[in-house]
Amino acid sequence: MTDTICALATAPGGAIGIIRISGPQALEILSHVFTKDVSQAQPNTIHYGHIKDRAEMIDEVMVSLFRAPHSYTGEDSVEISCHGSRYILNKVLALLIENGCRQANPGEFTQRAFLNGKIDLSQAEAVADLIASTNRATHQIAMSQLRGNFSSQLAQLREQLLKLTSLLELELDFSDHEDLEFADRSELLELTKTIDNHITRLAHSFETGQALKQGIPVAIVGKTNVGKSTLLNALLKDDRAIVSDIHGTTRDTIEETMDINGIQFRFIDTAGLRKTDDEVEQIGIERTIQKIKQARIVIWLLDQRPTWSEIDEMHELSKGKKCIYIHNKADLIDIHKFNPYILPLSMISAKTGKGISNLKKRIFEEAERVGLTSNANDVIVTNARHYDALTRAHDHIQRVIDGLQMQLSGDLLSEDLRQALDTLAEITGGQITPNEVLGNIFKNFCVGK
Ligand SMILES: Nc1nc2c(ncn2[C@@H]2O[C@H](COP(=O)(O)OP(=O)(O)OP(=O)(O)O)[C@@H](O)[C@H]2O)c(=O)[nH]1
Ligand SMILES: [Mg+2]
């Protein structure tokens, strides 16, 4: 990392555009194009001046100076706040390149922060997640990961694995001394199981992480014409789906995301369930059944009292799902004459909007109940690379558990232990990380980060 890199760090079109420079020559190169020589200036200072191309003034700017190792990248760095004109920004970048900078690759500043030991790999990935976060939940997860909560849990697992390794090694070193007794094997087994539980818990959080990232899937299902599409529109406050009194209006599924209390939900309007000879409608109904399977929460919408066999059918189709039973078209019901259902359910009118805000509250509470919301310090795995490593570490630990139970000797277990350690180290980049892995991680970053 002997070269000095530069890039535009802000999205084009704003009033201000920030250009970042990082590397050993950062301050010298800036001084070539700035009205003031800042090559010997104090770190953590801001300077007013002009960017110039020989005699021509390009822009009036503020520059912030940072010195290694106290900067984002851990190198000497500069941030130039220019006016946000595309012409100015391109001109300043061209000037910097002309004076010895190289245009940065996507994520290269963060990659340097990682290589200089400012953050570990999972924290670097959290930076990208933070930039991509669109709601409170994904923001909180990324923040927690960036602050090192995940890293410290991994460090704790590493410590326990090392302890286990040393206990097994001790057993090996003194295995000739039959009269000496070492760590009780059942204690080793307990420790291994504790480690495995922790790894499994982290791996399982991936499903929650995915749901929070992509929106918790909520399927709106029921018979034809009960008002599913009207409900989707009412939830979104948007005329998204076609509504008509013709049975079987919705054929394909319609998905839209929406925020409730900072959690993203993905509502899925589906084709109404009924017996039909229409081939296209039949395909739609099959999709409805697929969507029920993929959903975390199922809203069963009704507009009349269901029969026992219909109730059985609903239970059968949505087995294992969180179900919310709702009676729609409350505006058509004379509440005094209404015969209550066998199912516990609430009333709404998708058409008038009555009961919709209560329904939203209820949906949020159901998500909370199944552990789909997040708190500031929760560690929730959202990254497929991390999930993959955790799953592999779990497999190795599982083999250690089996081995301990079969009374295998320590040397037969140590290989799997070492593999588990290496696999977990891949997450934080503690092991030497191959270039292609690094390339894959950082290529999805924006330039300038
Ligand atoms: N009075 C009243 N009518 C409603 C209400 N909700 C929906 N409707 C009407 O019921 C009819 C069917 O509504 P849709 O939303 O298309 O029903 P759907 O369940 O999506 O129907 P399919 O797509 O055919 O399965 C339309 O004429 C709506 O205007 C309501 O709360 N009250
Ligand atoms: Mg519909």
Side-chain angles (χ1 to χ4, degrees):
M1 289 180 292
T2 50
D3 51 355
T4 298
I5 53 173
C6 69
L8 178 62
T10 47
I16 305 264
I18 296 178
I19 288 171
R20 246 181 172 175
I21 313 174
S22 183
Q25 303 286 300
L27 274 62
E28 286 75 13
I29 295 176
L30 172 71
S31 295
H32 287 147
V33 300
F34 194 44
T35 37
K36 195 165 145 188
D37 182 358
V38 289
S39 58
Q40 304 305 317
Q42 288 294 311
N44 307 324
T45 50
I46 299 182
H47 302 259
Y48 166 81
H50 289 79
I51 297 289
K52 60 181 173 58
D53 179 7
R54 293 158 197 104
E56 187 189 350
M57 293 298 166
I58 306 298
D59 195 14
E60 186 183 28
V61 300
M62 301 287 278
V63 296
S64 313
L65 308 181
F66 309 90
R67 290 262 192 202
H70 304 293
S71 70
Y72 179 72
T73 54
E75 304 172 327
D76 282 359
S77 303
V78 174
E79 283 179 17
I80 313 173
S81 302
C82 309
H83 289 102
S85 129
R86 200 176 277 272
Y87 172 76
I88 292 175
L89 295 168
N90 284 340
K91 181 79 190 169
V92 176
L93 280 172
L95 271 174
L96 292 171
I97 288 165
E98 198 180 297
N99 280 277
C101 276
R102 168 172 70 71
Q103 166 72 44
N105 297 319
E108 199 171 1
F109 292 90
T110 308
Q111 185 169 1
R112 286 185 172 200
F114 162 64
L115 293 171
N116 288 321
K118 300 288 289 187
I119 48 175
D120 69 34
L121 208 46
S122 80
Q123 288 173 304
E125 289 166 313
V127 172
D129 291 343
L130 193 66
I131 295 172
S133 70
T134 51
N135 56 48
R136 188 168 56 85
T138 45
H139 169 258
Q140 268 182 348
I141 296 169
M143 249 343 244
S144 166
Q145 193 175 319
L146 182 60
R147 286 168 56 223
N149 287 334
F150 185 31
S151 313
S152 71
Q153 291 206 11
L154 291 167
Q156 190 189 334
L157 281 168
R158 181 180 167 75
E159 217 160 89
Q160 289 173 324
L161 280 167
L162 286 172
K163 183 175 166 199
L164 197 59
T165 311
S166 60
L167 286 172
L168 277 172
E169 267 167 17
L170 200 68
E171 200 186 65
L172 275 181
D173 289 349
F174 292 91
S175 54
D176 301 343
H177 302 245
E178 275 164 20
D179 47 338
L180 282 175
E181 198 158 306
F182 297 100
D184 182 350
R185 276 258 164 144
S186 65
E187 253 172 57
L188 290 185
L189 188 60
E190 276 317 299
L191 179 58
T192 318
K193 282 184 176 167
T194 308
I195 296 171
D196 191 44
N197 283 342
H198 193 167
I199 294 176
T200 310
R201 210 166 53 238
L202 286 171
H204 278 170
S205 74
F206 183 62
E207 205 187 325
T208 303
Q210 286 303 97
L212 287 171
K213 226 172 170 171
Q214 290 157 11
I216 300 166
V218 182
I220 304 172
V221 294
K223 289 190 184 180
T224 53
N225 223 43
V226 294
K228 299 177 296 300
S229 303
T230 312
L231 175 59
L232 178 80
N233 292 347
L235 286 165
L236 300 172
K237 293 197 176 92
D238 186 19
D239 206 6
R240 174 67 181 83
I242 299 172
V243 166
S244 89
D245 58 3
I246 300 166
H247 287 253
T249 302
T250 307
R251 298 292 177 93
D252 221 341
T253 53
I254 300 176
E255 307 200 7
E256 283 297 331
T257 56
M258 197 186 91
D259 208 278
I260 303 177
N261 291 347
I263 302 284
Q264 177 146 283
F265 289 87
R266 187 154 44 85
F267 288 101
I268 308 153
D269 178 23
T270 59
L273 299 167
R274 68 163 171 177
K275 297 238 170 327
T276 174
D277 294 330
D278 185 317
E279 212 174 304
V280 180
E281 192 178 354
Q282 189 52 45
I283 295 170
I285 292 172
E286 275 157 27
R287 286 192 183 182
T288 304
I289 292 164
Q290 280 307 315
K291 289 296 168 185
I292 295 176
K293 288 196 182 121
Q294 291 162 12
R296 296 298 291 260
I297 297 174
V298 176
I299 298 179
W300 279 105
L301 204 61
L302 305 144
D303 66 352
Q304 54 185 309
R305 194 188 171 120
T307 63
W308 279 107
S309 74
E310 281 168 349
I311 292 174
D312 283 346
E313 202 181 328
M314 286 192 276
H315 284 323
E316 185 59 35
L317 278 172
S318 53
K319 222 188 266 165
K321 304 287 169 185
K322 267 274 154 218
C323 290
I324 301 178
Y325 298 94
I326 300 286
H327 187 104
N328 189 29
K329 309 192 184 178
D331 54 307
L332 298 181
I333 293 169
D334 181 350
I335 202 79
H336 301 295
K337 289 190 194 147
F338 187 70
N339 213 342
Y341 283 63
I342 318 122
L343 289 165
L345 89 179
S346 26
M347 296 264 180
I348 61 163
S349 169
K351 199 170 183 173
T352 66
K354 184 173 173 281
I356 297 294
S357 62
N358 265 338
L359 175 60
K360 282 188 189 170
K361 223 170 97 195
R362 173 91 187 276
I363 293 166
F364 182 81
E365 284 164 5
E366 293 295 350
E368 235 172 1
R369 207 163 294 152
V370 288
L372 278 173
T373 51
S374 72
N375 292 309
N377 289 323
D378 284 356
V379 173
I380 294 174
V381 174
T382 54
N383 188 305
R385 192 182 73 83
H386 302 171
Y387 173 68
D388 173 60
L390 287 165
T391 313
R392 282 183 289 124
H394 162 74
D395 291 344
H396 290 300
I397 297 294
Q398 203 54 52
R399 274 201 283 278
V400 176
I401 292 176
D402 292 346
L404 282 169
Q405 278 165 340
M406 290 189 291
Q407 303 296 335
L408 292 188
S409 77
D411 50 348
L412 294 172
L413 306 175
S414 62
E415 176 59 17
D416 269 311
L417 271 178
R418 200 184 56 75
Q419 299 257 25
L421 270 165
D422 287 355
T423 311
L424 290 180
E426 282 175 21
I427 298 177
T428 50
Q431 281 296 96
I432 293 166
T433 315
N435 270 338
E436 74 236 43
V437 175
L438 282 187
N440 256 332
I441 291 171
F442 289 103
K443 75 163 192 264
N444 297 321
F445 273 63
C446 30
V447 175
K449 190 64 216 179

